[in-house]
Amino acid sequence: MILCVDFSSETALYTQLRDQIIIGIASGALKPGEDLPSVRRLAADIGINIHTVNKTYALLREEGYLVMDRRTGASIAEMPPSDPGFSDHLSGLLRPIAAEAACHGMDAAAFSAFCVKIHQQVRQPAAGSAVPAPSPAAAAEKQKPGV
Amino acid sequence: MILCVDFSSETALYTQLRDQIIIGIASGALKPGEDLPSVRRLAADIGINIHTVNKTYALLREEGYLVMDRRTGASIAEMPPSDPGFSDHLSGLLRPIAAEAACHGMDAAAFSAFCVKIHQQVRQPAAGSAVPAPSPAAAAEKQKPGV
DNA sequence: TACTTGTTATAATCGATATATAACAAATAT
DNA sequence: ATATTTGTTATATATCGATTATAACAAGTA
């Protein structure tokens, strides 16, 4: 599992790491119980500050994706985390995106098919995905028309 | 079409306005050619600065949702905006969300059904949706477990 | 004892956000 | 012509988040 960041992205570094780890869990590249590198190691490998990695781990722990063991460090939690408010969380994330899709001519069926495709891509064991993790902000930059 | 902002939200004010206007376009509450209030009027009505509204309008114009007419001000553009990179943009937005859903036990079918539901909600003419526009950040706050 | 772990404290820098005040060119209305 | 409106730009300021730097801490391991 290779973790990296894009310093030119508008997305915060700790958010980039968070997304990559979550995608790694979803794809199976990171399995429950698996240990993650220490905050100092990961920070040194990527070339960023310890606190940035620590912020990522703390956020993932709050969201239920990581568990902290003072002996072995951080490791992937046993999914799924009990989360009664996840539906509302997901709705809030998807609503503006669904609206964007609708404005661009995608009906419910087309949007559904697109979401399925992305979901399946995420679930696949990342064939050659050593890409710098295309963040939403990076994609948003590409989306600027004609500039 | 009622526009409002949540000052306690983590989402930027200009982003909140942007999302609401896009949702308004998707739902049909804002129709192509329809005029939007001037930056000064909207800023005064909501109680925020002119530049914040101006930033929202400039962003929506860059994205193709608004057209500026020096006579009548801002108005809804004729959709959809020609956008060859929209697919990549949408992928970048959906990928971390699909991963989150997968981590919470949602398979492709369940995720698709959820996305369709949100899409249909957005397309509906907003029955009594005078709510302060549940932003992703606000939903993310709710999602924090046990705090 | 030495080393590692996550965590916290403190401080500094930088950019984004939001505000305030002001002015501009262009179009409209009187 | 004058006044008013439009979006736009300039300048300055205050605040907050993000990131880095240095340092220390308690706890567990070798």
Side-chain angles (χ1 to χ4, degrees), chain A residues 123-144:
Chain A
R123 293 287 291 174
Q124 286 177 357
S129 75
V131 289
S135 62
E141 289 171 359
K142 295 179 183 177
Q143 195 240 355
K144 289 182 181 178

Side-chain angles (χ1 to χ4, degrees), chain A residues 11-99:
Chain A
T11 305
L13 299 181
Y14 78 94
T15 302
Q16 293 184 41
L17 289 180
R18 189 205 83 118
D19 290 347
Q20 289 181 53
I21 291 175
I22 291 179
I23 292 175
I25 297 173
S27 70
L30 296 175
K31 301 187 182 305
E34 182 173 346
D35 283 357
L36 263 64
S38 70
V39 289
R40 290 173 175 83
R41 275 298 305 269
L42 185 52
D45 291 346
I46 300 179
I48 62 178
N49 193 269
I50 304 173
H51 291 79
T52 305
V53 178
N54 189 34
K55 190 171 184 177
T56 300
Y57 281 15
L59 177 60
L60 287 168
R61 189 196 53 176
E62 284 185 1
E63 294 178 332
Y65 295 105
L66 296 187
V67 289
M68 299 302 182
D69 191 326
R70 195 173 290 276
R71 298 168 296 182
T72 60
S75 59
I76 307 297
E78 304 292 336
M79 293 288 117
S82 60
D83 213 329
F86 180 71
S87 181
D88 291 340
H89 168 66
L90 200 60
S91 299
L93 292 174
L94 284 174
R95 191 166 293 112
I97 300 175

Side-chain angles (χ1 to χ4, degrees), chain A residues 106 109-119, chain B residues 87-88 90-91 94:
Chain A
M106 295 183 69
F111 186 61
S112 172
F114 197 94
C115 291
V116 166
K117 187 186 69 173
I118 299 299
H119 188 282
Chain B
S87 181
D88 290 340
L90 199 60
S91 299
L94 282 175

